[in-house]
Each structure stands twice: as C-alpha cells, then as structure tokens.
Amino acid sequence: MTGADGAATVRHFLRDDDIDPAEQTSVLDLAAAMKADRHGHRPLAGPQTVAVLFDKPTLRTQLSFSVGIAELGGHPMVLDSRLANIGVRESIADTARVLGRQAAAVVWRTYGQERIDEMAAHAGVPVVNALTDSFHPCQVLADLLTVREHRGHLAGRTLTYLGDGANNMAQSYLLGGASAGMHVRIGSPAAYTPDVQVLADARRIAAATGGSVVVTDDPAAACEQADVLATDTWVSMGQESEAADRAAPFVAFALDETAVARATDDVLVLHCLPAYRGSEVATAVIDGPHSVVWDEAENRLHAQKGLLAWLLEQNGDPT
Ligand code: CP
C-alpha cells in the first residue's frame, strides 16, 4: 500500500480501530489457527528481531510477546527502556528511526498515546501498542478471542465493563467491542467516563457493525443480562498517588456476586490482571465458575501472534 506521497504506508496497531471489523475477524481467525498449530507458523523465521520496550511494569505482556515472537521464528529483543529513556536521552523520532533500521516491528508500552503515535510516524516498520494511558488493544484482542472460544461468536453479545470508564481497558473495549458488533456497556461513576471522542468513534463503529454503546453510572443496569462481565484495577499504572481518592467512588462498581447474579446464567468473567481481590473483583468471582481469566491470560500469546503475523503480511512479509 502507498500513501499520497508515494511512500509505503505502514500498518500499525496503536488503537483498536486501527483495524476494521473485517480485519479484526481475520486477526482473530489467524490467532485461533496459530493456537491450534502452535509451532506451525514462522513468519519471523531468520530470525527477524522484534524490539519490545516497556516504560511501565509488566508480567503478561513481556511474557506473551517474548514467547510469541520466538514461536513465530523470530528473536524477541526486550530492551531496557530505563537505559533507552525514550524522549529524554533521545527523541522518540530518532529512537524510532534506529529501531526501524534493525527490527522487523516495534512493541512498546508507554504513557501518552502521542508517544506511540510519534514512534509509529518515524519507525518505518509496524508499531504495536502494548498499553498506553488511553488504550490496551492487544488485551482486548485476547479478550475477544476468549469470548469467541467460549461462546462461538461475538456479534450481538453484551459485554459490560465495570470500573474506571476513563481507563485504557474501558476505551479499548468500546472500540474493539463495537468493531466486533458487540453491545458494549460501561458502568462507571459519573466522574470517570470515557473520552468523548473515543465514545463518538465507538458509536460510529457500532452503527456500522450492529453493535451498540452505553455509558451508565447505574451498575445494576449495566450488568442486567450481560453475556460478559469485565473489570480492571481502579488504580491504573501511573495513578498510584491517587489510590486513596480512587477507592470509594468505585465500590458500587465492583465485579462481585451481586453483579454476576444480574447477568446471564452462563456469564463469562474477564479480568486483564493483575487483579486486586476484594477491591474491583470479589475472590469468589475471579476464582469461581464463571471466570475465564486464565484462558484470557494465555490468549494474549495467541492473539498477539496472530496480530504480528497479520501486520507483517500487510506490510509485505508473507506468512
Ligand atoms: N494485562 C496486562 O497487560 O498484564 P501486564 O501488565 O502484567 O503486562
């Protein structure tokens, strides 16, 4: 693909709607095929190197990208971002130019969305958002794969997220869930609602896919007959100084036995982890019969393998 100036247009995954609904299905199909034949797909054979950088803590994301890149035949180069100190020691643009000359793709967990946008503008290779303050699109791909495995299809299912409606998981559920044709409900305190532009984008996508989007400060209404209940920590990375102030407003939005009782009888419970039992999720719920959180954690691996292979294919590397 080429842009208006004739230069090659590189596809990235910086937010959930960087892939359209049909492309999302293709990525999930590829992920499912790779899960079924775990070592049968090697688009990174060579090995090609993927640069993986973290400006914030991680367990699952570092593990799943490292394992996944290796299983795709590549070399995961996890760089110590404290040493690179991107944007301080060196500009994001110059860092991107260096990474793109040696790596087949760049995976980055960082703070502001504008930082990863800047990386993508200058890398010349696919850039993947491994979590920013605004979005966590790889996690939502894994979540969609998990729901699809357990329920067969996504379109028409109701997915309710309880908690901080302004955080990256809520915003990615809005865009990714709407793309999948789901009915996405965000149950959050009135002071913690999604960005208005993200909400507008999700509503536009839902109008085309047959999904819908609701934001409510009524947790009971949010959970009513939901097919999927999801939550996340009330204190996202970088908000630690606000922890004391952030507890009370969210208590009514805990994913507890009451929330589960309001949902469908076979509701699936998701949590991206790490979980704080007794806060955003009850122990009896996350460790109970509706919980699919360990499938969800494993599916980070398969979803990201599918995504990386798909991006490389879009950018000219045959899988
Ligand atoms: N869910 C998730 O992204 O986990 P980590 O923060 O441990 O990578």
Side-chain angles (χ1 to χ4, degrees):
M1 190 187 301
T2 55
D5 60 357
T9 303
V10 179
R11 296 292 301 270
H12 305 286
F13 192 57
L14 309 180
R15 43 185 278 166
D16 308 75
D17 57 352
D18 279 342
I19 55 176
D20 69 25
E23 291 172 339
Q24 184 193 68
T25 300
S26 296
V27 170
L28 294 176
D29 288 346
L30 198 48
M34 289 179 166
K35 186 170 182 176
D37 181 15
R38 190 153 162 181
H39 300 283
H41 302 259
R42 297 177 62 80
L44 287 169
Q48 297 185 67
T49 293
V50 175
V52 186
L53 303 102
F54 295 95
D55 294 348
K56 296 184 179 188
T58 176
L59 169 67
R60 278 146 291 275
T61 307
Q62 179 169 344
L63 174 68
S64 55
F65 271 109
S66 298
V67 172
I69 291 161
E71 289 184 0
L72 292 173
H75 171 61
M77 179 78 217
V78 180
L79 293 153
D80 187 335
S81 72
R82 287 168 304 181
L83 297 179
N85 204 5
I86 300 171
V88 176
R89 181 168 184 263
E90 192 167 15
S91 73
I92 295 172
D94 283 358
T95 305
R97 292 180 181 111
V98 172
L99 292 172
R101 287 298 182 99
Q102 299 183 45
V106 175
V107 175
W108 193 18
R109 168 169 289 189
T110 190
Y111 291 89
Q113 189 71 14
E114 73 286 352
R115 285 171 61 80
I116 202 158
D117 289 344
E118 178 79 355
M119 179 72 79
H122 297 282
V125 296
V127 175
V128 173
N129 180 349
L131 181 149
T132 58
D133 294 343
S134 299
F135 301 105
H136 198 358
C138 290
Q139 179 68 56
V140 166
L141 274 183
D143 291 15
L144 296 176
L145 182 63
T146 306
V147 175
R148 209 174 77 155
E149 284 176 348
H150 282 271
R151 292 291 175 265
H153 67 272
L154 298 169
R157 304 278 186 205
T158 297
L159 184 154
T160 293
Y161 167 90
L162 292 174
D164 181 359
N167 85 1
N168 44 27
M169 282 304 299
Q171 301 205 140
S172 276
Y173 278 129
L174 282 168
L175 297 180
S179 295
M182 301 182 86
H183 303 297
V184 183
R185 298 181 192 154
I186 304 297
S188 61
Y192 297 90
T193 51
D195 176 81
V196 291
Q197 186 57 56
V198 172
L199 203 47
D201 291 342
R203 290 205 161 107
R204 176 181 43 76
I205 295 166
T209 62
S212 64
V213 169
V214 169
V215 178
T216 176
D217 62 2
D218 179 345
C223 296
E224 194 62 36
Q225 290 302 300
D227 299 300
V228 182
L229 292 176
T231 191
D232 187 15
T233 179
W234 295 334
V235 185
S236 292
M237 287 179 273
Q239 297 174 335
E240 290 78 5
S241 64
E242 303 170 28
D245 296 333
R246 294 179 71 88
F250 293 107
V251 168
F253 296 85
L255 208 178
D256 55 14
E257 294 94 327
T258 303
V260 170
R262 291 184 172 123
T264 55
D265 291 343
D266 60 351
V267 64
L268 298 175
V269 167
L270 298 174
H271 192 308
C272 61
L273 306 173
Y276 301 94
R277 289 170 170 79
S279 291
E280 79 277 1
V281 65
T283 300
V285 172
I286 194 168
D287 297 329
H290 296 280
S291 174
V292 290
V293 300
W294 310 119
D295 292 343
E296 181 187 6
E298 179 191 329
N299 279 339
R300 290 293 303 277
L301 168 65
H302 309 298
Q304 291 159 192
K305 285 175 68 179
L307 174 72
L308 282 173
W310 186 86
L311 282 172
L312 291 165
E313 191 177 15
Q314 300 304 307
N315 291 297
D317 278 20
T319 54

